[in-house]
Amino acid sequence: MLDILNKINAFLWGAPSLILLFGTGIFLTIILKGLQFKKLGYAFKLAFTKDKEDADAEGDVSNFKALMTSLAGMIGNGNIAGVATGITLGGPGAIFWMWIAGLLGMATKYAEALLAQVYRVKNEKGEYSSGPMYYIERGLGKNWKPLGAAFAIFAAIAALGTGNGVQSNTIADVMSNSFHVPGWITGILLVILTGLIIFGGIKRISNVAGFFVPIMAILYIGGSLIIIFLNIDQIIPAFGLIFEHAFTPVSAAGGFVGVTVSQAIQHGVSKGIFSNEAGLGTVALIAGNAKTSHPVKQGLVAMTGTFIVTIIVCTMTGLVLIFTGFWDPSGGLLSGVTHDASLDGGALTSAAFASTLGVVGEYIVSLSVIFFGFSTIFGWYVYGSKCFEYLFGLKYISIYGVLYLAATYLGAVLDLKLMWAVADMTNALMIIPNLIGILLLYKVIKRETENFFANPIEKRQRAA
Protein backbone atom coordinates (compact mmCIF):
# COMPACT_ATOMS: atom_id res chain seq x y z
CA MET A 1 0.00 0.00 0.00
CA LEU A 2 2.78 2.40 0.94
CA ASP A 3 4.67 1.68 -2.26
CA ILE A 4 1.55 2.35 -4.34
CA LEU A 5 0.92 5.67 -2.56
CA ASN A 6 4.55 6.71 -3.01
CA LYS A 7 4.31 6.08 -6.76
CA ILE A 8 1.07 8.07 -6.93
CA ASN A 9 2.71 10.94 -5.03
CA ALA A 10 5.76 10.88 -7.28
CA PHE A 11 3.40 11.49 -10.21
CA LEU A 12 1.15 14.03 -8.47
CA TRP A 13 4.10 16.09 -7.20
CA GLY A 14 6.02 15.71 -10.45
CA ALA A 15 6.48 18.13 -13.32
CA PRO A 16 2.74 18.51 -14.26
CA SER A 17 1.64 19.83 -10.85
CA LEU A 18 4.72 22.04 -10.45
CA ILE A 19 4.12 23.50 -13.92
CA LEU A 20 0.46 24.12 -13.03
CA LEU A 21 1.41 25.88 -9.79
CA PHE A 22 4.25 27.83 -11.38
CA GLY A 23 2.15 28.69 -14.44
CA THR A 24 -0.77 29.95 -12.36
CA GLY A 25 1.57 32.21 -10.38
CA ILE A 26 3.06 33.62 -13.59
CA PHE A 27 -0.39 34.14 -15.16
CA LEU A 28 -1.74 35.97 -12.10
CA THR A 29 1.42 38.06 -11.83
CA ILE A 30 0.92 39.19 -15.43
CA ILE A 31 -2.80 40.02 -15.22
CA LEU A 32 -2.30 41.79 -11.87
CA LYS A 33 0.70 43.70 -13.30
CA GLY A 34 3.15 42.57 -10.63
CA LEU A 35 0.89 43.62 -7.75
CA GLN A 36 2.81 41.52 -5.22
CA PHE A 37 5.92 43.63 -5.88
CA LYS A 38 4.35 47.07 -6.29
CA LYS A 39 1.95 46.86 -3.34
CA LEU A 40 4.02 44.87 -0.82
CA GLY A 41 4.68 47.87 1.43
CA TYR A 42 0.98 48.77 1.50
CA ALA A 43 0.12 45.13 2.19
CA PHE A 44 2.36 45.05 5.29
CA LYS A 45 0.81 48.31 6.47
CA LEU A 46 -2.66 46.76 6.22
CA ALA A 47 -1.51 43.62 8.02
CA PHE A 48 0.16 45.25 11.01
CA THR A 49 -1.72 48.53 11.54
CA LYS A 50 -5.37 49.34 12.19
CA ASP A 51 -7.30 50.66 9.19
CA LYS A 52 -10.19 53.00 10.01
CA GLU A 53 -12.09 51.82 6.92
CA ASP A 54 -12.17 48.29 8.38
CA ALA A 55 -13.37 49.25 11.86
CA ASP A 56 -17.06 48.74 11.07
CA ALA A 57 -16.60 46.07 8.39
CA GLU A 58 -18.34 42.71 8.67
CA GLY A 59 -16.30 39.73 9.77
CA ASP A 60 -15.25 37.65 12.77
CA VAL A 61 -11.59 38.56 13.33
CA SER A 62 -9.18 41.35 12.44
CA ASN A 63 -6.89 41.27 9.40
CA PHE A 64 -3.95 40.70 11.74
CA LYS A 65 -5.54 37.73 13.51
CA ALA A 66 -6.64 36.22 10.21
CA LEU A 67 -3.04 36.50 9.03
CA MET A 68 -1.72 34.97 12.27
CA THR A 69 -4.16 32.05 11.98
CA SER A 70 -3.05 31.51 8.41
CA LEU A 71 0.61 31.69 9.45
CA ALA A 72 -0.13 29.22 12.25
CA GLY A 73 -1.02 26.70 9.56
CA MET A 74 1.80 27.73 7.21
CA ILE A 75 4.77 28.20 9.54
CA GLY A 76 5.51 24.61 10.39
CA ASN A 77 8.21 22.05 10.37
CA GLY A 78 8.47 22.41 6.60
CA ASN A 79 10.33 25.65 7.24
CA ILE A 80 12.89 23.76 9.34
CA ALA A 81 13.00 20.20 8.01
CA GLY A 82 11.67 20.97 4.52
CA VAL A 83 14.29 23.61 3.74
CA ALA A 84 17.05 21.36 5.07
CA THR A 85 15.87 18.57 2.77
CA GLY A 86 15.56 20.94 -0.17
CA ILE A 87 19.08 22.32 0.17
CA THR A 88 20.74 18.95 0.78
CA LEU A 89 19.05 17.49 -2.32
CA GLY A 90 19.10 20.61 -4.49
CA GLY A 91 22.19 22.48 -3.29
CA PRO A 92 22.38 26.20 -2.41
CA GLY A 93 20.66 27.09 -5.69
CA ALA A 94 17.44 25.54 -4.38
CA ILE A 95 17.00 28.59 -2.15
CA PHE A 96 16.82 30.85 -5.22
CA TRP A 97 14.03 28.71 -6.66
CA MET A 98 12.24 28.78 -3.28
CA TRP A 99 12.27 32.56 -3.61
CA ILE A 100 10.82 32.37 -7.12
CA ALA A 101 8.10 29.98 -5.93
CA GLY A 102 7.36 32.33 -3.02
CA LEU A 103 7.24 35.52 -5.10
CA LEU A 104 4.93 33.95 -7.68
CA GLY A 105 2.97 32.23 -4.92
CA MET A 106 2.19 35.63 -3.42
CA ALA A 107 -0.02 36.36 -6.44
CA THR A 108 -1.79 33.02 -5.99
CA LYS A 109 -2.32 33.64 -2.28
CA TYR A 110 -3.69 37.11 -3.07
CA ALA A 111 -6.21 35.60 -5.50
CA GLU A 112 -7.29 32.89 -3.04
CA ALA A 113 -7.97 35.34 -0.21
CA LEU A 114 -9.72 37.85 -2.47
CA LEU A 115 -12.11 35.20 -3.81
CA ALA A 116 -12.68 33.93 -0.28
CA GLN A 117 -14.00 37.37 0.69
CA VAL A 118 -16.10 37.79 -2.46
CA TYR A 119 -17.89 34.45 -2.11
CA ARG A 120 -17.99 33.92 1.67
CA VAL A 121 -21.25 32.93 3.39
CA LYS A 122 -22.60 33.11 6.94
CA ASN A 123 -23.28 29.87 8.79
CA GLU A 124 -25.91 29.13 11.43
CA LYS A 125 -23.67 30.51 14.20
CA GLY A 126 -23.36 33.85 12.43
CA GLU A 127 -19.69 33.20 11.55
CA TYR A 128 -18.37 33.42 8.03
CA SER A 129 -17.38 30.36 6.05
CA SER A 130 -15.19 30.55 2.97
CA GLY A 131 -12.81 28.56 0.85
CA PRO A 132 -12.26 27.18 -2.65
CA MET A 133 -15.41 25.06 -2.41
CA TYR A 134 -17.49 28.23 -1.99
CA TYR A 135 -15.89 30.25 -4.77
CA ILE A 136 -16.04 27.25 -7.08
CA GLU A 137 -19.74 26.61 -6.43
CA ARG A 138 -20.93 30.23 -6.09
CA GLY A 139 -18.58 31.72 -8.66
CA LEU A 140 -18.81 29.07 -11.37
CA GLY A 141 -22.33 27.79 -10.70
CA LYS A 142 -24.06 24.76 -9.20
CA ASN A 143 -22.82 22.47 -11.95
CA TRP A 144 -19.33 22.91 -10.51
CA LYS A 145 -20.33 21.83 -7.00
CA PRO A 146 -18.77 18.34 -7.34
CA LEU A 147 -15.40 20.02 -7.95
CA GLY A 148 -15.86 22.12 -4.81
CA ALA A 149 -16.88 19.04 -2.84
CA ALA A 150 -13.79 17.21 -4.08
CA PHE A 151 -11.59 19.99 -2.69
CA ALA A 152 -13.42 19.83 0.66
CA ILE A 153 -12.95 16.06 0.91
CA PHE A 154 -9.25 16.23 0.09
CA ALA A 155 -8.63 19.12 2.49
CA ALA A 156 -10.57 17.56 5.39
CA ILE A 157 -8.45 14.40 5.07
CA ALA A 158 -5.21 16.34 4.59
CA ALA A 159 -5.89 18.29 7.77
CA LEU A 160 -5.99 15.06 9.78
CA GLY A 161 -2.63 14.03 8.33
CA THR A 162 -0.45 16.93 7.18
CA GLY A 163 -1.79 19.46 9.64
CA ASN A 164 -2.24 17.16 12.61
CA GLY A 165 -0.93 13.60 12.84
CA VAL A 166 2.47 14.20 11.29
CA GLN A 167 2.90 17.37 13.36
CA SER A 168 2.10 15.65 16.66
CA ASN A 169 4.46 12.84 15.63
CA THR A 170 7.29 15.34 15.09
CA ILE A 171 6.54 17.06 18.40
CA ALA A 172 6.55 13.70 20.21
CA ASP A 173 9.96 12.85 18.70
CA VAL A 174 11.42 16.15 19.87
CA MET A 175 9.88 15.81 23.33
CA SER A 176 11.36 12.33 23.61
CA ASN A 177 14.82 13.11 22.24
CA SER A 178 15.36 16.53 23.86
CA PHE A 179 13.30 16.33 27.04
CA HIS A 180 12.86 12.53 27.57
CA VAL A 181 9.05 12.74 27.64
CA PRO A 182 7.28 9.52 26.47
CA GLY A 183 5.13 9.78 23.36
CA TRP A 184 1.91 8.83 25.12
CA ILE A 185 2.31 11.69 27.60
CA THR A 186 2.98 14.13 24.78
CA GLY A 187 -0.09 12.80 23.00
CA ILE A 188 -2.34 13.36 26.03
CA LEU A 189 -0.98 16.89 26.57
CA LEU A 190 -1.52 17.77 22.91
CA VAL A 191 -5.09 16.42 22.97
CA ILE A 192 -5.95 18.49 26.06
CA LEU A 193 -4.38 21.71 24.76
CA THR A 194 -5.75 21.30 21.25
CA GLY A 195 -9.24 20.54 22.55
CA LEU A 196 -9.26 23.64 24.73
CA ILE A 197 -8.38 25.75 21.71
CA ILE A 198 -10.40 24.28 18.85
CA PHE A 199 -13.67 23.94 20.74
CA GLY A 200 -13.51 27.64 21.57
CA GLY A 201 -14.38 28.58 17.99
CA ILE A 202 -12.66 30.73 15.40
CA LYS A 203 -12.20 33.71 17.73
CA ARG A 204 -10.34 31.68 20.38
CA ILE A 205 -8.23 30.01 17.70
CA SER A 206 -7.31 33.39 16.18
CA ASN A 207 -6.52 34.83 19.63
CA VAL A 208 -4.17 31.93 20.42
CA ALA A 209 -2.58 32.25 16.99
CA GLY A 210 -2.08 35.97 17.56
CA PHE A 211 -0.16 35.08 20.74
CA PHE A 212 1.77 32.00 19.56
CA VAL A 213 2.90 32.95 16.06
CA PRO A 214 4.87 36.11 16.94
CA ILE A 215 6.62 34.29 19.83
CA MET A 216 7.73 31.34 17.74
CA ALA A 217 8.78 33.60 14.86
CA ILE A 218 10.90 35.75 17.20
CA LEU A 219 12.44 32.64 18.80
CA TYR A 220 13.48 31.01 15.54
CA ILE A 221 14.37 34.13 13.54
CA GLY A 222 16.24 35.52 16.55
CA GLY A 223 18.43 32.42 16.78
CA SER A 224 19.01 32.52 13.03
CA LEU A 225 20.01 36.19 13.13
CA ILE A 226 22.58 35.52 15.86
CA ILE A 227 24.26 32.88 13.66
CA ILE A 228 24.08 35.18 10.64
CA PHE A 229 25.60 38.05 12.65
CA LEU A 230 28.43 35.80 13.86
CA ASN A 231 29.12 34.93 10.21
CA ILE A 232 28.53 38.40 8.80
CA ASP A 233 31.62 38.16 6.58
CA GLN A 234 30.10 35.14 4.83
CA ILE A 235 26.86 36.80 3.69
CA ILE A 236 28.11 37.90 0.27
CA PRO A 237 29.81 34.54 -0.47
CA ALA A 238 26.66 32.71 0.68
CA PHE A 239 24.40 34.69 -1.64
CA GLY A 240 26.99 34.19 -4.35
CA LEU A 241 26.61 30.41 -3.93
CA ILE A 242 22.82 30.68 -4.04
CA PHE A 243 22.77 32.65 -7.29
CA GLU A 244 25.62 30.69 -8.89
CA HIS A 245 24.13 27.27 -8.26
CA ALA A 246 20.64 28.31 -9.24
CA PHE A 247 21.96 28.14 -12.81
CA THR A 248 25.06 25.95 -12.63
CA PRO A 249 25.50 22.41 -11.21
CA VAL A 250 27.20 21.67 -7.89
CA SER A 251 30.04 19.20 -8.37
CA ALA A 252 30.30 16.07 -6.27
CA ALA A 253 32.80 16.38 -3.43
CA GLY A 254 33.38 14.49 -0.19
CA GLY A 255 30.04 13.16 0.98
CA PHE A 256 28.06 15.36 -1.42
CA VAL A 257 26.81 13.55 -4.51
CA GLY A 258 26.47 16.64 -6.69
CA VAL A 259 23.39 18.47 -7.96
CA THR A 260 22.14 19.41 -11.41
CA VAL A 261 20.31 22.64 -12.18
CA SER A 262 17.07 20.72 -12.78
CA GLN A 263 17.37 19.18 -9.30
CA ALA A 264 17.90 22.62 -7.79
CA ILE A 265 14.76 23.87 -9.53
CA GLN A 266 12.67 20.80 -8.62
CA HIS A 267 13.58 20.73 -4.94
CA GLY A 268 13.54 24.51 -4.56
CA VAL A 269 10.10 24.97 -6.12
CA SER A 270 8.52 21.95 -4.40
CA LYS A 271 9.85 22.86 -0.94
CA GLY A 272 8.90 26.49 -1.48
CA ILE A 273 5.33 25.46 -2.23
CA PHE A 274 5.28 23.11 0.76
CA SER A 275 6.41 25.95 3.01
CA ASN A 276 3.95 28.63 1.87
CA GLU A 277 0.99 26.49 0.70
CA ALA A 278 0.34 28.77 -2.28
CA GLY A 279 -2.09 26.97 -4.55
CA LEU A 280 -3.43 24.61 -1.89
CA GLY A 281 -6.30 27.00 -1.13
CA THR A 282 -5.79 26.85 2.64
CA VAL A 283 -5.58 30.63 3.11
CA ALA A 284 -9.04 30.97 1.54
CA LEU A 285 -10.48 28.87 4.38
CA ILE A 286 -9.67 31.58 6.95
CA ALA A 287 -9.52 34.77 4.84
CA GLY A 288 -13.32 35.00 4.65
CA ASN A 289 -13.49 35.53 8.43
CA ALA A 290 -11.47 38.75 8.28
CA LYS A 291 -13.05 42.13 8.93
CA THR A 292 -12.23 44.17 5.87
CA SER A 293 -13.93 46.88 3.84
CA HIS A 294 -12.88 45.37 0.48
CA PRO A 295 -11.80 41.90 -0.67
CA VAL A 296 -8.60 43.29 -2.17
CA LYS A 297 -7.39 44.32 1.29
CA GLN A 298 -7.54 40.81 2.66
CA GLY A 299 -5.88 39.53 -0.49
CA LEU A 300 -2.98 41.90 0.13
CA VAL A 301 -2.73 40.92 3.80
CA ALA A 302 -2.77 37.21 2.93
CA MET A 303 0.08 37.52 0.45
CA THR A 304 2.36 38.97 3.15
CA GLY A 305 2.18 35.56 4.84
CA THR A 306 3.87 33.94 1.85
CA PHE A 307 6.59 36.59 1.92
CA ILE A 308 7.18 36.03 5.65
CA VAL A 309 7.29 32.26 5.40
CA THR A 310 9.35 31.79 2.23
CA ILE A 311 11.42 34.93 1.76
CA ILE A 312 12.22 35.45 5.45
CA VAL A 313 11.93 32.20 7.45
CA CYS A 314 13.11 29.78 4.73
CA THR A 315 15.99 32.07 3.82
CA MET A 316 17.09 32.18 7.46
CA THR A 317 17.21 28.38 7.60
CA GLY A 318 19.06 28.17 4.30
CA LEU A 319 21.70 30.72 5.31
CA VAL A 320 22.35 28.95 8.61
CA LEU A 321 22.89 25.65 6.77
CA ILE A 322 25.24 27.30 4.27
CA PHE A 323 27.21 29.27 6.88
CA THR A 324 27.76 26.22 9.06
CA GLY A 325 28.41 23.87 6.13
CA PHE A 326 25.68 21.48 7.28
CA TRP A 327 24.04 21.24 3.86
CA ASP A 328 27.06 19.18 2.75
CA PRO A 329 28.61 16.29 4.76
CA SER A 330 32.06 17.34 3.52
CA GLY A 331 31.69 20.78 5.10
CA GLY A 332 30.16 22.77 2.28
CA LEU A 333 31.80 25.43 0.14
CA LEU A 334 32.17 28.01 2.93
CA SER A 335 33.07 25.78 5.85
CA GLY A 336 35.52 23.01 6.53
CA VAL A 337 33.36 21.49 9.28
CA THR A 338 32.20 17.97 8.54
CA HIS A 339 29.15 16.28 10.06
CA ASP A 340 27.30 13.00 10.23
CA ALA A 341 26.00 12.23 6.74
CA SER A 342 23.02 10.36 8.21
CA LEU A 343 21.51 13.58 9.56
CA ASP A 344 18.63 15.04 7.60
CA GLY A 345 15.57 17.24 7.95
CA GLY A 346 14.98 18.83 11.34
CA ALA A 347 17.89 16.94 12.93
CA LEU A 348 20.24 18.52 10.40
CA THR A 349 18.95 22.04 11.14
CA SER A 350 19.23 21.37 14.87
CA ALA A 351 22.84 20.24 14.48
CA ALA A 352 23.62 23.34 12.42
CA PHE A 353 22.28 25.63 15.16
CA ALA A 354 24.09 23.64 17.86
CA SER A 355 27.41 23.88 15.98
CA THR A 356 27.41 27.66 16.56
CA LEU A 357 25.22 28.22 19.61
CA GLY A 358 25.87 24.98 21.47
CA VAL A 359 23.06 23.40 23.47
CA VAL A 360 21.15 26.70 23.31
CA GLY A 361 20.99 26.39 19.54
CA GLU A 362 19.71 22.82 19.80
CA TYR A 363 16.96 23.92 22.18
CA ILE A 364 16.01 26.85 19.96
CA VAL A 365 15.28 24.43 17.14
CA SER A 366 13.61 21.91 19.46
CA LEU A 367 11.29 24.54 20.94
CA SER A 368 10.63 25.98 17.48
CA VAL A 369 9.60 22.55 16.22
CA ILE A 370 7.22 22.20 19.19
CA PHE A 371 5.72 25.69 18.76
CA PHE A 372 5.57 25.42 14.96
CA GLY A 373 4.02 21.97 15.11
CA PHE A 374 1.44 22.90 17.72
CA SER A 375 0.36 26.07 15.92
CA THR A 376 0.04 24.06 12.72
CA ILE A 377 -2.24 21.59 14.50
CA PHE A 378 -4.81 24.15 15.56
CA GLY A 379 -4.34 26.23 12.39
CA TRP A 380 -5.17 23.27 10.18
CA TYR A 381 -8.18 22.43 12.34
CA VAL A 382 -9.75 25.62 10.99
CA TYR A 383 -9.14 24.37 7.45
CA GLY A 384 -10.43 20.86 8.04
CA SER A 385 -13.50 21.92 10.02
CA LYS A 386 -14.54 24.45 7.37
CA CYS A 387 -14.42 21.71 4.75
CA PHE A 388 -16.28 19.24 6.97
CA GLU A 389 -18.92 21.92 7.61
CA TYR A 390 -19.35 22.42 3.86
CA LEU A 391 -19.84 18.68 3.31
CA PHE A 392 -22.04 17.74 6.27
CA GLY A 393 -23.30 20.92 7.93
CA LEU A 394 -22.41 22.77 11.10
CA LYS A 395 -24.40 20.53 13.45
CA TYR A 396 -22.01 17.62 12.85
CA ILE A 397 -18.81 19.64 13.30
CA SER A 398 -18.18 18.16 16.77
CA ILE A 399 -17.69 14.76 15.09
CA TYR A 400 -14.79 16.20 13.14
CA GLY A 401 -13.40 17.69 16.34
CA VAL A 402 -13.35 14.26 17.97
CA LEU A 403 -11.69 12.71 14.89
CA TYR A 404 -9.14 15.50 14.93
CA LEU A 405 -8.23 14.91 18.57
CA ALA A 406 -7.96 11.17 17.92
CA ALA A 407 -5.53 11.86 15.07
CA THR A 408 -3.57 14.14 17.39
CA TYR A 409 -3.02 11.35 19.91
CA LEU A 410 -2.39 8.60 17.35
CA GLY A 411 0.17 10.80 15.63
CA ALA A 412 2.17 11.04 18.83
CA VAL A 413 2.37 7.29 19.42
CA LEU A 414 2.35 5.58 16.00
CA ASP A 415 4.66 5.25 13.00
CA LEU A 416 3.10 7.56 10.42
CA LYS A 417 4.70 6.57 7.13
CA LEU A 418 1.31 5.63 5.69
CA MET A 419 -0.31 8.80 7.03
CA TRP A 420 2.49 10.90 5.51
CA ALA A 421 1.86 9.27 2.14
CA VAL A 422 -1.92 9.80 2.31
CA ALA A 423 -1.42 13.40 3.44
CA ASP A 424 0.99 14.11 0.58
CA MET A 425 -1.52 12.69 -1.87
CA THR A 426 -4.50 14.69 -0.57
CA ASN A 427 -2.37 17.85 -0.47
CA ALA A 428 -1.54 17.41 -4.13
CA LEU A 429 -5.18 16.67 -4.98
CA MET A 430 -6.28 19.91 -3.25
CA ILE A 431 -4.32 21.90 -5.81
CA ILE A 432 -6.26 20.76 -8.87
CA PRO A 433 -9.81 21.98 -8.05
CA ASN A 434 -8.48 25.11 -6.37
CA LEU A 435 -6.39 26.27 -9.32
CA ILE A 436 -9.15 25.41 -11.78
CA GLY A 437 -11.46 27.69 -9.78
CA ILE A 438 -8.91 30.51 -9.64
CA LEU A 439 -8.07 30.38 -13.34
CA LEU A 440 -11.74 30.34 -14.38
CA LEU A 441 -12.51 33.27 -12.05
CA TYR A 442 -9.54 35.39 -13.12
CA LYS A 443 -11.83 38.12 -14.52
CA VAL A 444 -13.37 38.62 -11.07
CA ILE A 445 -9.89 38.86 -9.52
CA LYS A 446 -8.79 41.38 -12.14
CA ARG A 447 -11.94 43.52 -11.91
CA GLU A 448 -11.96 43.64 -8.10
CA THR A 449 -8.32 44.68 -8.09
CA GLU A 450 -8.72 47.38 -10.74
CA ASN A 451 -11.85 48.69 -9.03
CA PHE A 452 -10.09 49.01 -5.67
CA PHE A 453 -7.04 50.87 -6.88
CA ALA A 454 -8.86 53.05 -9.44
CA ASN A 455 -11.52 54.49 -7.12
CA PRO A 456 -11.70 56.15 -3.71
CA ILE A 457 -13.63 54.26 -1.03
CA GLU A 458 -16.93 56.07 -1.59
CA LYS A 459 -16.96 55.17 -5.30
CA ARG A 460 -15.85 51.56 -5.09
CA GLN A 461 -18.39 49.07 -6.32
CA ARG A 462 -18.23 45.35 -6.04
CA ALA A 463 -17.23 43.91 -9.40
CA ALA A 464 -18.71 40.51 -8.56
Side-chain angles (χ1 to χ4, degrees):
M1 182 65 179
L2 186 60
D3 288 340
I4 293 173
L5 288 173
N6 285 336
K7 289 179 181 179
I8 293 173
N9 287 332
F11 171 76
L12 290 174
W13 284 107
S17 63
L18 294 181
I19 291 171
L20 179 61
L21 285 160
F22 220 54
T24 301
I26 293 172
F27 173 71
L28 291 171
T29 298
I30 292 171
I31 69 166
L32 295 172
K33 301 176 181 178
L35 172 139
Q36 70 265 47
F37 308 110
K38 296 188 294 185
K39 301 298 181 181
L40 183 59
Y42 177 53
F44 271 102
K45 180 181 177 182
L46 288 173
F48 294 100
T49 62
K50 292 184 178 181
D51 191 317
K52 292 181 180 179
E53 291 180 7
D54 297 335
D56 298 322
E58 291 191 14
D60 305 309
V61 297
S62 67
N63 277 330
F64 173 76
K65 289 182 178 178
L67 174 62
M68 291 301 105
T69 305
S70 175
L71 283 174
M74 271 194 293
I75 297 183
N77 294 314
N79 308 115
I80 298 176
V83 174
T85 301
I87 197 172
T88 52
L89 296 177
I95 297 176
F96 174 85
W97 295 107
M98 286 181 199
W99 294 338
I100 298 300
L103 293 172
L104 294 176
M106 288 170 67
T108 306
K109 272 290 177 71
Y110 168 84
E112 291 171 343
L114 182 153
L115 292 174
Q117 280 278 328
V118 171
Y119 295 108
R120 66 183 182 175
V121 299
K122 271 191 176 181
N123 61 25
E124 295 94 320
K125 292 173 62 177
E127 295 178 344
Y128 280 100
S129 295
S130 62
M133 55 280 196
Y134 290 102
Y135 53 71
I136 289 172
E137 179 183 348
R138 301 184 71 220
L140 300 178
K142 293 289 185 182
N143 290 337
W144 291 86
K145 185 171 182 177
L147 189 68
F151 172 87
I153 292 169
F154 299 144
I157 296 172
L160 295 172
T162 300
N164 189 358
V166 295
Q167 301 296 329
S168 61
N169 186 264
T170 303
I171 293 171
D173 283 345
V174 170
M175 291 290 286
S176 176
N177 294 331
S178 297
F179 305 105
H180 309 293
V181 177
W184 67 271
I185 293 180
T186 299
I188 292 173
L189 289 174
L190 286 174
V191 167
I192 294 171
L193 293 173
T194 302
L196 289 173
I197 294 171
I198 67 175
F199 288 122
I202 185 63
K203 290 184 179 180
R204 182 181 295 175
I205 293 172
S206 66
N207 285 336
V208 174
F211 174 78
F212 256 97
V213 173
I215 290 177
M216 68 186 188
I218 290 170
L219 176 69
Y220 188 73
I221 293 175
S224 301
L225 286 174
I226 292 173
I227 296 176
I228 291 171
F229 179 77
L230 293 173
N231 294 274
I232 195 76
D233 60 319
Q234 297 294 331
I235 286 183
I236 293 177
F239 276 97
L241 284 179
I242 292 170
F243 286 108
E244 176 186 355
H245 293 297
F247 304 100
T248 60
V250 183
S251 300
F256 192 69
V257 296
V259 168
T260 64
V261 173
S262 63
Q263 287 175 311
I265 295 173
Q266 178 186 348
H267 292 293
V269 172
S270 62
K271 295 304 180 291
I273 291 166
F274 265 118
S275 73
N276 60 48
E277 298 177 8
L280 267 67
T282 50
V283 73
L285 295 163
I286 183 61
N289 292 95
K291 295 180 180 179
T292 186
S293 58
H294 197 283
V296 165
K297 287 187 174 182
Q298 181 52 28
L300 292 169
V301 170
M303 79 180 192
T304 65
T306 301
F307 185 90
I308 292 169
V309 167
T310 306
I311 307 302
I312 297 178
V313 179
C314 288
T315 300
M316 295 287 184
T317 302
L319 288 176
V320 168
L321 290 166
I322 292 175
F323 287 158
T324 59
F326 271 73
W327 67 277
D328 176 357
S330 66
L333 302 181
L334 297 181
S335 168
V337 178
T338 59
H339 68 269
D340 184 354
S342 67
L343 293 175
D344 60 9
L348 187 66
T349 305
S350 181
F353 271 72
S355 71
T356 301
L357 302 178
V359 69
V360 173
E362 181 181 347
Y363 281 129
I364 285 175
V365 176
S366 296
L367 291 174
S368 295
V369 167
I370 292 169
F371 279 124
F372 286 177
F374 183 54
S375 68
T376 300
I377 288 173
F378 64 75
W380 267 81
Y381 171 77
V382 175
Y383 305 156
S385 63
K386 295 273 187 182
C387 293
F388 194 86
E389 175 189 331
Y390 175 83
L391 293 168
F392 302 106
L394 190 61
K395 64 181 179 179
Y396 296 111
I397 203 67
S398 59
I399 295 175
Y400 190 77
V402 172
L403 291 173
Y404 204 79
L405 293 180
T408 303
Y409 181 78
L410 292 174
V413 297
L414 297 179
D415 180 5
L416 293 187
K417 288 182 180 179
L418 186 63
M419 183 178 284
W420 263 113
V422 172
D424 283 347
M425 181 180 69
T426 51
N427 266 345
L429 291 172
M430 288 166 63
I431 293 169
I432 299 170
N434 179 50
L435 293 186
I436 289 174
I438 288 174
L439 291 171
L440 293 178
L441 291 169
Y442 81 92
K443 290 183 179 179
V444 175
I445 299 166
K446 190 170 184 289
R447 280 197 295 246
E448 288 279 0
T449 303
E450 291 175 348
N451 169 263
F452 179 82
F453 289 109
N455 298 298
I457 184 67
E458 63 271 11
K459 292 185 179 180
R460 289 174 193 157
Q461 300 201 354
R462 294 290 298 280

